[in-house]
């Protein structure tokens, strides 16, 4: 994932932001922002129970420096997700006391729901909210996304996949796990997975947030966000993310964290440029 220089972390001054908005309102041609989507995203992933704010009521994201791309027909969004407030210390998981969970020294065996270092938030899921019309959504990738059971921990804790893309679940442990798939809009599943067994494949057919858990080791679970399109990301250990190949236009960017809730911010995407944004949660 792209790393961004420290200069990028200086916010644009208010006059520059006003000028940017003026350009967005007046530009002509293919970079003119498209219609704002209403409601809260796609299917099981989207917004509040009442559909969320209208797009034009969603505040603009705080801007960082833009990046020039080698692209003529698409743009991107990159940025940093931060958290302020009372972030609790990570605590030890039961895997530290199980012999079959000790074969991967790189695994921390610490709680992974709320992970932040120097205020930068890991495992925030981000996706663009799209209108159902006017956007050509590419088919899902042929390559699977991989969810591994490693050191009796699901790795990564948060993952994104496109509808129709295979989620491959592996077992890298000398222990037996069971893969218990909890879902609202796709088929559930609960199968045993022995040590050395070939990876299991699961293909979601609808947008959803799917819980993968192990009943043998109750601290083991992961969230897989299934999106109708490919314009999503998960923030890394530095809080950074990047979403590429986006058709130019104006969008609502939805940011979700399982402990901290949901944010929605407007962003403008231009061909040949990556829009930089700063996004922040507050822990209570």
């Amino acid at each position: 994932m792209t790393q961004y220089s420290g200069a990028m972390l200086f916010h644009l001054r208010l006059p520059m932001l006003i000028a940017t908005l003026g350009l967005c309102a007046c530009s002509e041609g293919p970079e003119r922002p498209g219609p704002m989507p209403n409601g809260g995203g796609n299917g099981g992933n989207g917004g509040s129970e009442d559909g969320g704010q209208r797009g034009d009521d969603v505040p603009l994201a705080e801007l960082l420096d833009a990046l020039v791309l080698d692209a003529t027909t698409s743009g991107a969004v990159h940025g940093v997700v931060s958290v302020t407030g009372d972030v609790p210390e990570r605590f030890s998981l039961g895997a530290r006391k199980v012999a079959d969970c000790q074969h991967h020294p790189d695994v921390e065996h610490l709680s992974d729901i709320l992970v932040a270092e120097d205020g930068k938030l890991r495992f925030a899921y981000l996706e663009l909210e799209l209108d159902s019309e006017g956007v050509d959504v590419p088919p899902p990738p042929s390559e699977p996304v991989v969810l591994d059971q490693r050191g009796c921990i699901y790795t990564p804790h948060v993952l994104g996949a496109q509808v129709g893309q295979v989620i491959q679940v592996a077992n890298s442990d000398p222990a037996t796990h069971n893969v218990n798939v909890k879902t609202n809009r796709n088929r559930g599943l609960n199968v045993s997975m022995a040590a050395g067994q070939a990876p299991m494949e699961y293909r979601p057919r609808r947008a959803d947030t799917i819980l993968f858990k192990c009943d043998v080791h109750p601290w083991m679970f992961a969230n897989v966000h299934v999106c109708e399109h490919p314009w999503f990301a998960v923030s890394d250990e530095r809080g950074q993310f990047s979403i590429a190949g986006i058709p130019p236009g104006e969008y609502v960017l939805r940011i979700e964290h399982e402990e901290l809730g949901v944010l929605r911010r407007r962003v403008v995407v231009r061909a040949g440029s990556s829009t930089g944004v700063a996004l922040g949660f507050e822990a209570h």
Side-chain angles (χ1 to χ4, degrees):
M1 183 171 292
T2 306
Q3 296 185 16
Y4 312 110
S5 65
M8 191 179 302
L9 299 180
F10 289 99
H11 300 160
L12 297 180
R13 292 192 174 96
L14 180 60
M16 297 178 67
L17 177 57
I18 294 172
T20 300
L21 295 178
L23 288 172
C24 295
C26 301
S27 62
E28 300 292 339
E31 293 191 10
R32 184 173 57 196
M36 291 297 299
N38 295 328
N42 54 69
N45 279 358
S48 62
E49 292 181 359
D50 62 359
Q53 298 164 279
R54 291 179 57 89
D56 52 7
D57 292 335
V58 176
L60 280 163
E62 188 175 8
L63 297 179
L64 302 175
D65 291 343
L67 296 175
V68 177
L69 302 177
D70 184 16
T72 58
T73 60
S74 65
V77 175
H78 69 272
V80 178
V81 185
S82 301
V83 58
T84 58
D86 185 15
V87 178
E89 294 288 330
R90 299 173 69 188
F91 54 85
S92 297
L93 299 174
R96 286 195 168 181
K97 300 178 181 179
V98 179
D100 281 347
C101 302
Q102 305 303 313
H103 294 266
H104 302 283
D106 58 308
V107 177
E108 293 182 294
H109 293 147
L110 295 174
S111 59
D112 47 11
I113 294 177
L114 183 52
V115 182
E117 184 172 347
D118 297 328
K120 302 302 185 290
L121 183 65
R122 190 174 188 182
F123 297 137
Y125 171 75
L126 307 97
E127 70 170 43
L128 295 182
E129 296 182 357
L130 298 186
D131 256 340
S132 58
E133 300 178 358
V135 178
D136 185 15
V137 176
S142 57
E143 301 81 10
V145 293
V146 178
L147 188 61
D148 195 8
Q149 297 166 107
R150 181 179 174 84
C152 299
I153 302 291
Y154 267 115
T155 304
H157 178 68
V158 177
L159 188 63
Q162 189 174 346
V163 169
Q165 186 176 14
V166 169
I167 302 169
Q168 190 177 85
V169 184
N171 183 4
S172 296
D173 289 332
T176 295
H177 299 294
N178 77 299
V179 180
N180 190 349
V181 179
K182 302 287 190 180
T183 172
N184 293 317
R185 307 186 69 229
N186 291 277
R187 64 182 178 90
L189 187 69
N190 194 345
V191 296
S192 178
M193 197 165 194
Q197 183 174 328
M200 181 200 82
E201 293 190 345
Y202 179 89
R203 190 189 299 269
R205 300 295 184 181
R206 296 179 179 86
D208 206 347
T209 299
I210 301 177
L211 175 68
F212 285 75
K213 63 190 296 286
C214 174
D215 300 316
V216 179
H217 307 100
W219 58 84
M220 287 181 63
F221 71 96
N223 291 307
V224 180
H225 296 266
V226 183
C227 188
E228 290 174 346
H229 56 75
W231 300 300
F232 58 84
V234 177
S235 62
D236 66 10
E237 64 276 5
R238 298 178 181 86
Q240 296 177 351
F241 70 92
S242 179
I243 305 173
I246 305 170
E250 186 169 329
Y251 299 91
V252 170
L253 179 63
R254 185 176 188 275
I255 312 99
E256 179 176 351
H257 185 272
E258 63 188 294
E259 179 76 17
L260 302 175
V262 174
L263 298 173
R264 296 169 77 238
R265 295 292 183 265
R266 282 189 294 148
V267 295
V268 176
V269 177
R270 294 183 173 83
S273 176
S274 181
T275 301
V277 295
L279 306 161
F281 286 93
E282 183 174 356
H284 299 285

